[in-house]
Amino acid sequence: MRNLLESIRKPLGLFGVWIFSLWCLFALFLYFSPRSLDLSFISVLSQDLRQAQGVLWASNLWGSLKATLVCGSVALATWRLGRYGLRLLGLNFGSKVLRFCFETALGVVFLDLFWMGSGLNGLWNGPFDVVLVTVFCLWALVDLWREDPVLKGTLAWKLDITSTPWLIALACGFIALEWAQIWTPVTYFDGLVYHLSTLSFWGFHHGLAEAPGNFFTCFPFGAELYLWNGMVLQGTEAAKGLNIFFLFWTSLAAGAWVAEEGSRTTGVLTGLSILFLPLFSTTVWSAQNDVVLAFFILLFVYSLRKAMAEGRENWFMLAGLMGGAAWTVKQTAVLGVGVVWLAGFVVWARSGFALPWKRWIGTLVLVGLCVMPWFLKNAAYTGNPVYPYLSQWFGGMYFSKVQEQALMIAHESPWVMDHSFGDWVVQIFTRSLDKTVGPLLLAFVPLWFIARPSSSSSSWVGWTGLSYLLLCFAVSHQLRLAIPACVLLVVEIGLALDLLEKNKVRWWSWFLVVFGALSFLSLLRVSVDYYQWDQMVLGVKNRAGYLETNPQTLSYYGLAEAVGKVTAPRDRILLVGDSRSLYYRRDFYANTIYDQQALRELAGQEKDGEGIYHRLYEMGIDDLVVSGQEGQRLIEQDPDYFPLKNEEWAKLDDLIQHRTDLVYEQGPWAIYHLRPTPVKRQQVLPNLLLTMKSPVPKP
């Protein structure tokens, strides 16, 4: 058997090239659809060029340059701050790039601790925060100038593969696409309801205030608190830009790791593989936090491996900080942290427990200390440290099984799907992996067997990544949640490449060129069709016009602008019929579709409109903002979104007629200002709350 394996590992010449090429074509054909080659977006770009306006383009360019400057300044300051933290640990790095990534990661941790500590004490203040972050960035420039670092040779990368020019061109294309996204504000639903919307809410409340109508605020916000630095200085564009920086940092860290243990060529191929994955780009564009999680998980794995190899206590401390930082990004990080720690523990056990057990326990303790403030915040606000999950066990704020089931369905959790184990496996390969990751992993399978990484220490990374990936799919079929596992598998590919002959590395580099080209076309089409960056980059629309016409914000941005014009600066609004709350310039109270709707609950609890008014007054509400179009959509999607009885609708109508003034109405939008005294009107006010009335009201 050994002789057979050795014969397989020998160069296969031209025949081997054909076999590998056919296999790669199969992998690409299996996951990439003909739509991936659809070039219809070119006609959209051509039309935009004809409609471009020079004045708008110049204005948009200036805005993008400001956002880029903010992102670069905050990133620089983060790195400089983290340098001081890493010096205290006294660790040596063979790679300057890896050292830079760890310094940046520690800077993110320190900034998050600052914003969380000041936020829990209600110390956030808009103008002061702007000054504070600006001074921080200026300090970083002075600190950099004083040190005068020598970077010569750090970014030199001469590769011994013929595909280098094509890889460089693709890398430049992907980076240009990332920068184009900084021109546009965030429009993805999750950012409008969860990631950035919560930061906006906390900004109005001077810190991490309780938001009982939005359970998303109970999640850890380690990633978003860092994005807050960009929002403070510029807005959602800079926040999105900082998220994009995490994609670059993850790519650099993965490539530098492989280059440190292998060759510069395989390191660069690894970094580009991450940059070429479309899912990673769309995730950071939509202000989601999964790439941030991948960055910290990657550094957690690296530092834990170093700790096992060198046995130094400081490496265990750094691993604990990276694992803890990962868990502060989102609750599902417990899967990755747990799998990585257990895998390391198994290796430690197989070595005869050569290292002191206190260091392993100390790593877990440090992880727990990092995430503990988030659990304590939840326990104080809701009575449940992991709210909204496990509410039946911990008690506290009510989150019913029906709500939890709906949330699990939205997560695409296999637990609530009626399918067998075989169906689960089939869905993973046919839908869950899809074209973003599937062809890259599948195409490398033959080379992985030829490389035989099981004989190398790199196998620990591969098996850990694979276990993590399967565990993620056991929790949810959303591949986005498995991005950290995919990064580990890409690193495993890079480490395995170093065990191959140079000709096979060249094969892989050419596959990466083809994969990158297809991914670039697919990503370019999505960025034009869905994100519509071309409208601002080419000067067709300004920021307001973009948000007013973008399909994701079309049904509410005009209402948000109206609120800023017709309500008092200190008013607090209650959003009815919509959970999207980003871009409102007033303090707001919004309910997600998974939370109890405030007006619905009050209509059921109070005896008349007067009682509802007094409850709203106790909540500090000054205005009702009705988004009828979105409310109608939600009712069609779920008839139980606003399931009121006829008498409860009558109570709400009583509130509208006698306790409000209609200050704005346009189509399905309306703004009602609550009156301090009741009034009897001769003419009935239009009640746009009725737009959310189900076709068949409950008796």
Side-chain angles (χ1 to χ4, degrees), residues 570-574 616 620-624 672-674:
R570 294 186 177 275
D571 277 9
R572 188 184 193 193
I573 62 175
L574 171 63
L616 291 173
I621 301 299
D622 300 291
D623 306 276
L624 301 180
Y672 300 92
H673 181 71
L674 297 182

Side-chain angles (χ1 to χ4, degrees), residues 652-669:
L652 292 179
D653 189 61
D654 180 38
L655 170 72
I656 294 297
Q657 302 303 328
H658 301 114
R659 272 295 191 171
T660 70
D661 292 321
L662 180 62
V663 295
Y664 177 83
E665 180 187 10
Q666 182 176 341
W669 298 335

Side-chain angles (χ1 to χ4, degrees), residues 96 149-156:
K96 293 180 181 179
V150 178
L151 300 178
K152 183 178 180 181
T154 301
L155 300 178

